Amino acid sequence: MDLSNGLGDYSLSERKRKILQAIIEEYIGTAEPVGSRAISKKKELGLSSATIRNEMADLEDMGYLVQPHTSAGRVPSDSGYRFYVNQLMQKYQLGIEVIARLQEQLHARINQLDRIIRSAGLAASSLTEYTTFITTPGAGNAVINKLDLVYIGIHRIMLIIVTESVRSRLLGADVSQEECSVLTEIINNEFKGKTVSELTKANFDRLLPRVCAAGINKDMFLTVAAFICEAAAEADGGDIVVHNAKSILSYPEYADIDKAREMLEFLEDKEAIRSLIAEDSADTAGYDVRARIGTENKSELLNNCSLVTVNYSLDGKHAGKIGVIGPKRMNYAKVFASLDLISHEIDKVINEFDA
């Protein structure tokens, strides 16, 4: 560490070190000059007031403490603080609640964005009066600025993926604080500057020789790697939010209870909707509103429905899709106009928020 105290004296005895640490930490907590009596009450030191007074006088002569007034206790000097920071300070372990609060603050921008997008889906449902879905932006193409494995405590670590946003997850794993640091360095050396979609099992497998050479347990590493890959896959896909699924029940086409139940189960299945979107991607590369009517949908379940979709953008880049699912006899003109309006408004609202 860099020493800026002008003393460069690391030859303090263990006793002087402990007394200096105790004085500084006491002063940090009270903002009052610290006397020998206060320090002698610290049972872990096991020293008498007389011994502590002598050591404090030595520390003052060495420039680590100062005495504001003749009868007062001592306070740390700048050099004392520097020595404390460089040599004595214990690593501070943030609690889970503190980390969660910090993440909440870091995520403020992202949460605002998420609320706007979800509100857009709700607005589409309100305007059209049909079932709607909206996909939130995925992070697959986002460039990794940093990837952290943070030791939370015994058997718990937190993964933090930093791109233009921050994503995090907790993992139960038998990983030490030192192993977290080593793995973080190895993983960042490999993936920093790459995209989230490149956090794959195959790419992590290539790190095995480096990891084993660093003394990291192979099975533990594979557990952590699988966890990171899972988090990356979720981030890549984004989320899907469905609004007003129950509107299906008002259509005569779904008066049959079995058909209605089957359709509601489909709308609750995010993977099924994700597949539906994937089918739709080939012919909806632009930002125009498109419709797939009845049997144009590959899913037999949607043969009596129409799917109307539009892409939306953020900062001029494609970010997700808004869709309406309703009977083939839907009011297409109203649905098209509603989706076109909403898709253009999302980017406008985000730009206003950033201004």
Side-chain angles (χ1 to χ4, degrees):
M1 292 184 183
D2 175 45
L3 258 190
S4 306
N5 60 8
L7 298 176
D9 185 359
Y10 284 169
S11 62
L12 288 182
S13 67
E14 187 63 23
R15 187 162 70 185
K16 280 187 172 62
R17 284 171 174 257
K18 288 182 178 179
I19 290 173
L20 179 60
Q21 180 176 346
I23 291 170
I24 292 176
E25 291 176 353
E26 179 76 13
Y27 185 65
I28 287 171
T30 66
E32 295 289 339
V34 182
S36 58
R37 190 154 184 260
I39 300 303
S40 67
K41 291 179 180 179
K42 297 183 181 298
K43 294 181 179 178
E44 65 272 17
L45 291 178
L47 299 172
S48 68
S49 291
T51 300
I52 293 170
R53 271 196 304 273
N54 291 333
E55 296 285 18
M56 289 175 72
D58 288 346
L59 288 166
E60 184 179 357
D61 290 340
M62 298 171 74
Y64 292 109
L65 299 176
V66 295
Q67 191 172 26
H69 309 289
T70 305
S71 59
R74 271 77 165 185
V75 301
S77 66
D78 289 353
S79 298
Y81 280 125
R82 170 52 59 191
F83 191 90
Y84 175 77
V85 168
N86 286 1
Q87 291 289 301
L88 305 176
M89 185 172 61
Q90 301 296 308
K91 186 174 179 63
Y92 188 86
Q93 186 65 56
L94 290 174
I96 293 175
E97 289 183 5
V98 174
I99 293 173
R101 188 161 63 248
L102 173 62
Q103 286 183 306
E104 183 178 354
Q105 293 168 353
L106 291 175
H107 290 183
R109 164 70 171 80
I110 305 307
N111 288 339
Q112 180 69 23
L113 172 60
D114 186 65
R115 282 195 295 273
I116 290 170
I117 291 171
R118 288 170 188 266
S119 294
L122 187 60
S125 175
S126 178
L127 285 173
T128 64
E129 300 181 341
Y130 297 120
T131 299
T132 66
F133 65 82
I134 188 164
T135 63
T136 61
N141 294 322
V143 175
I144 299 168
N145 296 323
K146 191 176 182 183
L147 194 151
D148 269 338
L149 292 170
V150 181
Y151 178 81
I152 301 297
I154 299 174
H155 305 308
R156 297 196 83 183
I157 62 173
M158 177 178 284
L159 166 68
I160 302 176
I161 302 175
V162 182
T163 56
E164 71 274 6
S165 64
V166 180
R167 297 169 189 266
S168 64
R169 288 184 60 179
L170 283 172
L171 167 68
D174 189 15
V175 186
S176 70
Q177 189 166 341
E178 183 179 354
E179 287 170 328
C180 276
S181 298
V182 173
L183 280 177
T184 295
E185 183 177 355
I186 292 173
I187 292 170
N188 273 292
N189 286 340
E190 176 66 22
F191 292 106
K192 185 176 180 180
K194 295 183 179 179
T195 63
V196 171
S197 60
E198 292 178 269
L199 294 171
T200 64
K201 181 180 182 301
N203 286 334
F204 274 102
D205 285 346
R206 284 197 283 273
L207 291 180
L208 266 175
R210 222 181 306 171
V211 168
C212 293
I216 300 293
N217 178 273
K218 176 183 175 182
D219 291 336
M220 182 272 287
F221 168 70
L222 292 176
T223 298
V224 172
F227 170 68
I228 295 174
C229 291
E230 182 183 333
E234 287 183 9
D236 193 3
D239 194 14
I240 297 173
V241 184
V242 177
H243 294 282
N244 200 21
K246 66 182 183 216
S247 67
I248 290 288
L249 300 176
S250 64
Y251 309 149
E253 291 87 341
Y254 288 94
D256 182 282
I257 294 298
D258 290 334
K259 282 186 178 180
R261 186 181 66 251
E262 196 175 8
M263 189 63 183
L264 287 172
E265 288 175 354
F266 172 83
L267 293 173
E268 289 176 357
D269 186 346
K270 291 187 178 182
E271 289 309 310
I273 297 177
R274 208 181 295 280
S275 297
L276 184 66
I277 295 168
E279 292 173 19
D280 192 49
S281 296
D283 59 353
T284 58
Y287 292 90
D288 294 333
V289 182
R290 305 291 182 91
R292 292 220 312 270
I293 301 171
T295 54
E296 293 174 3
N297 294 294
K298 292 181 182 179
S299 172
E300 187 176 334
L301 186 61
L302 299 180
N303 282 176
N304 288 322
C305 293
S306 285
L307 170 69
V308 182
T309 60
V310 66
N311 294 328
Y312 70 87
S313 65
L314 296 174
D315 299 326
K317 298 177 182 177
H318 173 251
K321 191 181 293 289
I322 312 171
V324 170
I325 298 175
K328 286 188 287 186
R329 55 186 177 81
M330 72 167 59
N331 186 335
Y332 290 99
K334 183 179 180 181
V335 171
F336 271 54
S338 298
L339 292 190
D340 183 60
L341 172 65
I342 291 170
S343 67
H344 284 90
E345 285 298 311
I346 291 177
D347 208 17
K348 188 189 298 182
V349 170
I350 295 297
N351 287 334
E352 289 173 357
F353 174 72
D354 285 339

